[in-house]
Amino acid sequence: DFDNVRRSGLIAIKIKPEDKLIWAKPTSGKDEIQLITAKGQAIRFNEKVVRDMGRNAAGVTGIRMKGGDALVGMGVIKDDKEKQKKYQVLTIMENGFGKRTALGFYKVQGRGGSGIKTAKVTTKTGKLTNAYIVNVDSMQDKDLIIISEKGQVIRLPFKSVSQLNRDTQGVRLMRFKDDKDKVACVTWV
């Protein structure tokens, strides 16, 4: 469907005016997808349950969200049971809290459900701002960089982020100089 892309481009997906396309990742056809929302819900499903559609289609529902919720993370889990043992879900919350959770705590479900709780979202932690599926082996020597909306930056070792269960608040990773500041973005080096 994308063999003959014109200079002006092609429409790849029909998107509603209030939505944005943020991630697009290649898959093998046998992988699993994990979606995580700002209010702390997560769903993991096999990509085989997403049927093939034309370029102009809007797609199918991956996760049902309650009012005011938004998707903050999407990951592809490769179809390799040994590698899956090394995957973790890294979640960062807007008030500077974060945690790592073993992928084994997330069962494979059908797509289109409301998912399961991946983090305890409270006024203390704030909503989730970022969520990633990470391979622990490849992250051991890396550092996380967390940047706030007001430009404050912190760098900390990935392995210093606590590994906790699913339905927990996480631990404080960043303290802000301004009480009204929040986490804007996370990356690693």
Side-chain angles (χ1 to χ4, degrees):
D1 287 341
F2 295 97
D3 284 344
N4 298 314
V5 178
R6 297 183 294 269
R7 198 185 301 197
S8 62
L10 290 173
I11 294 174
I13 185 172
K14 190 179 284 186
I15 299 176
K16 296 175 186 171
E18 66 274 10
D19 289 339
K20 291 189 245 179
L21 175 63
I22 300 183
W23 309 282
K25 296 184 180 183
T27 62
S28 69
K30 297 181 257 175
D31 298 329
E32 294 168 356
I33 308 297
Q34 180 140 356
L35 304 174
I36 301 171
T37 73
K39 290 188 176 178
Q41 291 297 110
I43 193 165
R44 177 179 172 189
F45 57 89
N46 194 300
E47 73 170 304
K48 290 177 185 174
V49 300
V50 179
R51 63 185 175 276
D52 288 341
M53 303 173 117
R55 283 188 306 105
N56 261 345
V60 294
T61 300
I63 186 169
R64 293 206 186 280
M65 296 183 285
K66 295 183 175 136
D69 208 354
L71 212 56
V72 296
M74 178 271 240
V76 175
I77 303 160
K78 295 294 175 194
D79 181 38
D80 182 336
K81 298 301 177 200
E82 282 306 307
K83 281 187 181 176
Q84 285 183 13
K85 292 177 185 174
K86 298 176 183 181
Y87 284 144
Q88 291 181 341
V89 179
L90 172 67
T91 52
I92 309 292
M93 297 163 211
E94 64 186 359
N95 291 341
F97 285 77
K99 65 178 181 160
R100 297 182 291 150
T101 304
L103 188 65
F105 285 107
Y106 300 88
K107 64 181 180 174
V108 177
Q109 300 175 267
R111 67 158 185 82
S114 60
I116 58 176
K117 191 164 278 304
T118 189
K120 192 173 282 185
V121 175
T122 65
T123 53
K124 179 175 130 183
T125 64
K127 293 180 181 178
L128 276 68
T129 56
N130 300 91
Y132 305 95
I133 304 294
V134 294
N135 183 326
V136 178
D137 287 347
S138 67
M139 295 293 287
Q140 285 305 315
D141 297 330
K142 296 193 177 176
D143 291 340
L144 289 180
I145 295 180
I146 305 173
I147 304 166
S148 77
E149 291 175 352
K150 297 197 176 187
Q152 186 178 334
V153 177
I154 187 172
R155 181 174 179 165
L156 63 148
F158 171 79
K159 56 188 167 194
S160 72
V161 178
S162 296
Q163 184 173 341
L164 302 169
N165 290 335
R166 263 188 323 100
D167 191 12
T168 57
Q169 294 184 72
V171 296
R172 181 162 310 269
L173 301 178
M174 182 176 194
R175 294 192 188 279
F176 303 106
K177 293 178 182 168
D178 183 339
D179 290 346
K180 294 184 171 123
D181 206 358
K182 296 191 180 310
V183 171
C185 193
V186 178
T187 192
W188 47 84
V189 290

